[in-house]
C-alpha cells in the first residue's frame, strides 16, 4: 500500500500510482503551500500552460491538510470550469465526461480534502471505465454508460508538445 498526498486533479503519474496499487490519501500531513494539493496545470490547444488554483483560507503554521478550508471570496469554480471547457471542449471525450466533473464545480465544498477526494474518486472511476454515481439532491443518479479500455499511452497535444507528467490527468481523460 502506498500513501499519497491529496492532489487537485493530479497528473498522470499520480493517477497511475492510484490505479496500480492500493493507496491511502494522507490527511494528517502538514499542508504545504504552492503544491499540487490545491493546484493543477492544464494545457490549452495553443500549448500554453494554465495554472488553476483552489483558493484556501488562511493557513496557520503546521496546519494539517485535513483542516484546510476552501475560500469562496472569488468565483473560482466558475473560472476553473470555463478554463477547463475552453482547453478541452474540442477533445473527443470532453462532452462525454464533462457531465461527471461539472457537478464538482457547482457544489461548495467546505474542505479542500473533500473536494480533492470527490474529484479523485470520479476520475479514477472514469479511468477504470466504471460508471460513477452522482448524488442529486437526495437521490443517486447514474449517468451515461462508459466504454472500457486499458490504454494508458498518449497525451493531448503530444504531436506538438512533449509529455509532461505534472499536467492534469484531464489531458489524458478527454483525449483517450
Amino acid at each position: 500500500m502506498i500513501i499519497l498526498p491529496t492532489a487537485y486533479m493530479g497528473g498522470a503519474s499520480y493517477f497511475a500510482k492510484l490505479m496500480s496499487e492500493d493507496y491511502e490519501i494522507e490527511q494528517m500531513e502538514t499542508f504545504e503551500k504552492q503544491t499540487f494539493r490545491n493546484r493543477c496545470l492544464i494545457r490549452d490547444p495553443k500549448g500554453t500552460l494554465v495554472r488553476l488554483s483552489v483558493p484556501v483560507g488562511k493557513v496557520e503554521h503546521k496546519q494539517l491538510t485535513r483542516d484546510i478550508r476552501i475560500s469562496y471570496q472569488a468565483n473560482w469554480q466558475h473560472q476553473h470550469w470555463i478554463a477547463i471547457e475552453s482547453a478541452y471542449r474540442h477533445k473527443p471525450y470532453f462532452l462525454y465526461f464533462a457531465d461527471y466533473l461539472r457537478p464538482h464545480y457547482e457544489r461548495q465544498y467546505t474542505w479542500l480534502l473533500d473536494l480533492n477526494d470527490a474529484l479523485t474518486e470520479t476520475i479514477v472511476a472514469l479511468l477504470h471505465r466504471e460508471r460513477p454515481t452522482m448524488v442529486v439532491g437526495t437521490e443517486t443518479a447514474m449517468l451515461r454508460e462508459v466504454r472500457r479500455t486499458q490504454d494508458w499511452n498518449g497525451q493531448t497535444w503530444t504531436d506538438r508538445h512533449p509529455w509532461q507528467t505534472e499536467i492534469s490527468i484531464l489531458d489524458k481523460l478527454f483525449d483517450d
Side-chain angles (χ1 to χ4, degrees), residues 27 39-40 89 137 163:
Q27 64 176 348
R39 297 170 186 224
C40 73
R89 72 175 160 243
W163 175 270

Side-chain angles (χ1 to χ4, degrees), residues 107-123:
R107 176 179 173 199
Q108 285 197 356
Y109 293 87
T110 302
W111 308 104
L112 177 64
L113 197 59
D114 291 342
L115 169 66
N116 290 352
D117 286 352
L119 282 166
T120 298
E121 287 174 11
T122 300
I123 292 169

